[in-house]
């Protein structure tokens, strides 16, 4: 087994072709740095797509994993366990929520949220109240329900009949939402900052108005904080800075700091609709996942870490503005906290991927969000030196693209 030649070619031989991974295969990570099979070092501004909130192999997470790994790995939900209960209590204490449901990914957290919203509406208001309103360019995961609620039909087309009664309006378009919402609406689902859709912030007044419309029509407001949650925007959850409280919130990605876990948070009144047997997951609330997530949550919710995110945002913005002043390829640098996007200007339309590939050549990992945005979602505790070194590499990558 250990003699096997593990190469990128092996991926094409043995893996389902739904991904097109980079040519390099990282084998080790520490903080905001990664090393590949050849020992080449990279700075990681991608963070496993906003997952590695404390970088790679953070000592608090490694220690929680090792400790729990020698105690208890798995029970299933036939029994509960201490790490799950501790984590749930901490989530409840730190947020609007009174109840928590654990699962393994963002899509599963959203699937639970959508099923809960439907069941709550049907139980309390009757069988006609099933409409779900979501936003174009939104992203909520890849299960058939969540991908249908997501705002890019291309991701849900071609799989046969879709879950019904799901409608979309443009993000930040209050008039469109007003025209569509009615007493038949069971939920409005939104990211409090669209991530995959291109790092698009909502207007605070828009979010406030969405809340009011939901209240008028007895519709639940679901915030998908899978990407924005657990410190990413500088608040523990983005809703806290927006001053609008959702009825259901979903969290995943950074929640486990790299260990798969998802959570759906809600109130006691709404949670009551998921009675015994209505929903579940074998692995949900797995002790290993919850032990690591507890360590991540304890570390991130420290005000010093959250304030550090805002400070790091300044380092990035200043560095990126300086690069743009020299090379003039970005129309805008947007986002919040450490979820930032450089938007291609007219001249570079559709070329975000060229910047990602050039960055990889310069030993820097970045993300894109659509064809026009280079996205950064690094460790929330990335050091000043790592940011400076990464930005120097990004500047060289930009020069490569600009100079052809
Ligand atoms: C806002 C949002 N929701 C849901 C998901 C899906 O999460 P997962 O890939 O863990 O299922 C993502 C993933 O990118 C996301 O950004």
């Amino acid at each position: 087994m250990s003699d096997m030649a593990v190469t990128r070619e092996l991926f094409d031989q043995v893996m389902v072709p739904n991904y097109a991974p980079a040519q390099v295969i990282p084998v080790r990570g520490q903080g905001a740095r990664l090393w590949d099979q050849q020992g080449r070092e990279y700075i990681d501004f991608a963070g496993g797509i906003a997952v590695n909130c404390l970088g790679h192999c953070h000592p608090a997470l490694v220690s929680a994993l090792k400790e729990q790994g020698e105690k208890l790995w798995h029970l299933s939900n036939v029994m509960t366990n201490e790490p799950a209960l501790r984590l749930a209590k901490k989530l409840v204490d730190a947020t609007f929520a009174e109840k928590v449901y654990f699962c393994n990914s963002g899509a599963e957290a959203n699937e639970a949220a959508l099923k809960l919203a439907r069941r709550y509406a049907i139980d309390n208001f009757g069988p006609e109240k099933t409409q779900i309103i979501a936003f174009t360019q939104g992203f909520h995961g890849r299960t058939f329900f969540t991908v249908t609620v997501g705002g890019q039909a291309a991701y849900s087309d071609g799989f046969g009949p879709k879950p019904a009664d799901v409608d979309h309006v443009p993000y930040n378009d209050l008039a469109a939402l007003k025209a569509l919402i009615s007493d038949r609406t069971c939920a409005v689902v939104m990211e409090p900052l669209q991530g995959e859709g291109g790092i698009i912030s909502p207007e605070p007044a828009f979010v406030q108005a969405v809340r009011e419309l939901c209240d008028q029509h007895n519709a639940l407001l679901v915030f998908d904080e899978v990407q924005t949650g657990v410190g990413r925007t500088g608040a523990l959850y983005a809703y806290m800075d927006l001053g609008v409280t959702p009825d259901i919130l979903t969290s995943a990605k950074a929640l486990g700091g790299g260990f798969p876990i998802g959570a759906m948070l809600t109130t006691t009144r709404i949670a009551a609709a998921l009675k015994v047997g209505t929903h579940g997951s074998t692995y949900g609330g797995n002790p290993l996942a919850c032990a690591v997530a507890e360590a991540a949550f304890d570390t991130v919710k420290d005000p010093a870490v959250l304030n550090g995110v805002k400070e790091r945002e300044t380092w990035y913005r200043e560095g990126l503005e300086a690069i743009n002043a020299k090379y003039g390829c970005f129309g805008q640098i947007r986002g919040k906290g450490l979820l930032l996007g450089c938007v291609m200007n007219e001249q570079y339309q559709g070329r975000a991927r060229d910047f990602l590939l050039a960055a990889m050549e310069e030993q820097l990992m970045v993300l894109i969000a659509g064809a026009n945005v280079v996205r950064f979602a690094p460790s929330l505790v990335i050091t000043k030196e790592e940011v400076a070194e990464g930005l120097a590499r990004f500047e060289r990558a930009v020069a490569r693209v600009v100079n052809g």
Side-chain angles (χ1 to χ4, degrees), residues 49 105-108 110 139-141 191 196 224 226-227 252-253:
I49 320 190
S105 66
E108 277 181 80
N110 285 325
F139 187 80
H140 303 295
E191 294 158 84
E196 301 298 309
D224 176 344
V226 168
Q227 189 149 166
K253 289 192 183 274

Side-chain angles (χ1 to χ4, degrees), residues 243-266:
V244 169
T245 303
D247 299 299
I248 301 177
L249 179 151
T250 54
S251 188
K253 289 192 183 274
L255 184 61
F259 202 104
I261 183 169
M264 176 188 71
L265 279 55
T266 189

Side-chain angles (χ1 to χ4, degrees), residues 11 98 114 138 209 253 259 277 312 317 340 355 357 393 399:
F11 180 95
E98 297 161 325
L114 295 168
K253 289 192 183 274
F259 202 104
R312 284 161 177 74
R317 281 188 180 274
L340 295 169
F355 288 82
L357 294 174
R393 294 181 192 188

